[in-house]
């Protein structure tokens, strides 16, 4: 398998494509692994021998003892980060981490506002996990945030809280009519303590990576997926950040340059939360995929909506992020199905289209056009060579690659780290 660096890994669907596993696999070849967007709402799992690690903030490269970076595009819930660091240190895995001072910190009032807004939206709720991520980005963009540099400087933290806290309390209690019992003193005490523990990780990630990218092998781990992109995703059921590859430049602080990109494509489609999903399966096949694929949220445990692979989604993702390579994951989950369908286009009124339309009102009206394939019966989870796959599985893969016009480099056939066909 030949893959070039610097490399960015992006989910090509609605997230949970198995990026964690692909990053772990490729970080073996990297020296630096960077998370540059999203918060701890982007859970990913890496399976190592018998142990399954669920990460939400640390880059997956932690298991390979690489240099790890959290750039300012990430927002940090300090307690969650400290718990994750402790998990690895307990296993004698040293966490070699650098956190940019410009990173924004998730505060208790962000979570309270998140919960309060979801109550207010009622049936139209975004499906947020009340982790406060969206609100942290809102304050970041509105210059009303607490940055990592404030967290580690008690006086600065106090000053920021004195400015911000009273307004947040008023908002939660007087606008949303919800209770918010935390006091400024409690929050200060708790967060100063987090700052003390995290201070040693401070570093200028933008500066360090601008230099490192020229001579080292830098891997960027994208969170979420293309259709959770705050602009190009299925708005408003999205995250607050760019998830497409180009986001990496401002989110790290790098000048535009060639960064290779790899799109992770799950062999079927899943989606968490509300919003249109043309290939959704609401029948027993959907349930089978959910059970076999373990399609329940890494962090939330919520059942994920499941459906057939949608090439319109992936084609759009390729256009937006310019993938040089693809990884197909969870192919094993489709084993045993009699027939497998792939969406190759949408019908909208009398028109046929091949990509996700720009207007979400149109996307809601799209009905999928399917191509059907014969399924395969055998267990493929131990297969390491493409030739060993049955004709049916090969036909399915070949068709996808031909349609998408991007070379497939990795086919993942089980959750375990080494269960891959590398091309
Ligand atoms: P991410 O958010 O894109 O990193 O994906 P998640 O970790 O949320 O979800 C992927 C899940 O699928 C995890 O539980 C992985 O351990 C698992 N997984 C990854 N690749 C494969 C695969 O090829 N086959 C199977 N059966 N499971 C996989
Ligand atoms: Mg996930």
């Amino acid at each position: 398998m030949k893959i070039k660096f610097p490399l960015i890994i992006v989910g090509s669907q609605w997230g949970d494509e198995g990026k964690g596993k692909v990053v772990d696999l490729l970080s073996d070849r990297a020296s630096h692994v960077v998370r540059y967007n999203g918060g701890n709402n982007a859970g990913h799992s890496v399976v190592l021998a018998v142990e399954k690690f669920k990460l939400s903030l640390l880059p997956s490269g932690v298991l390979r003892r690489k240099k790890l970076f959290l750039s300012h595009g990430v927002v940090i819930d300090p307690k969650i980060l400290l718990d994750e660091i402790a998990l690895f240190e307990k296993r004698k895995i040293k966490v070699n981490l650098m956190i940019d001072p410009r990173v924004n910190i998730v505060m208790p009032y962000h979570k309270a506002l998140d919960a309060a807004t979801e109550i207010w939206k009622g049936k139209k709720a975004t499906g947020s996990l009340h982790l406060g991520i969206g609100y942290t980005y809102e304050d970041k963009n509105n210059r009303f945030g607490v940055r990592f540099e404030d967290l580690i400087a008690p006086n600065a933290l106090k000053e920021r809280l004195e400015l911000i806290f009273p307004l947040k309390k008023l908002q939660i209690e007087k606008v949303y009519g919800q209770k918010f019992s935390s006091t400024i003193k409690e929050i200060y005490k708790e967060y100063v303590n987090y700052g003390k523990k995290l201070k040693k990780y401070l570093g200028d990630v933008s500066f360090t990576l601008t230099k490192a990218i020229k001579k080292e092998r830098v891997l960027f781990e994208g969170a979420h997926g293309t259709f959770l992109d705050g602009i190009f995703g299925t708005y408003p059921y999205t995250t607050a950040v760019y998830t497409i590859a180009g986001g990496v430049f401002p989110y790290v602080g790098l000048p535009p340059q060639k960064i290779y990109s790899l799109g992770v494509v799950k062999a079927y489609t899943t989606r968490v939360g509300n919003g249109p999903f043309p290939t959704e399966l609401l029948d027993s096949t959907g349930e089978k995929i959910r059970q076999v694929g373990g399609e329940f949220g890494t962090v939330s445990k919520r059942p994920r909506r499941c459906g057939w692979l949608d090439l319109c989604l992936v084609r759009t993702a390729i256009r937006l992020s310019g993938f040089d390579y693809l990884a197909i994951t969870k192919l094993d989950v489709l084993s045993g199905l009699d027939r497998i369908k792939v969406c190759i286009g949408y019908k909208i009124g009398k028109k046929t289209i091949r990509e996700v339309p720009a207007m979400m009102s149109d996307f809601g009206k799209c009905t999928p056009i399917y191509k059907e394939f014969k399924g395969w019966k055998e267990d493929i989870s131990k297969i390491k060579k493409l030739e060993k796959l049955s004709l049916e599985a090969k036909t399915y893969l070949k068709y996808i690659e031909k349609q998408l016009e991007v070379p497939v480099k990795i086919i993942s056939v089980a959750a375990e780290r080494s269960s891959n066909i590398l091309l």
Side-chain angles (χ1 to χ4, degrees), residues 48-67:
L48 186 64
V50 288
E51 213 171 351
K52 186 162 184 163
F53 293 92
K54 299 202 167 180
L55 303 173
S56 62
L57 275 170
L58 281 177
S60 308
V62 62
L63 291 165
R64 310 251 188 206
R65 297 165 167 79
K66 303 292 176 172
K67 288 189 178 149

Side-chain angles (χ1 to χ4, degrees), residues 15-16 19 42-44 298 304:
D16 306 317
K19 291 176 300 295
H44 48 244
T298 311
R304 296 173 181 154

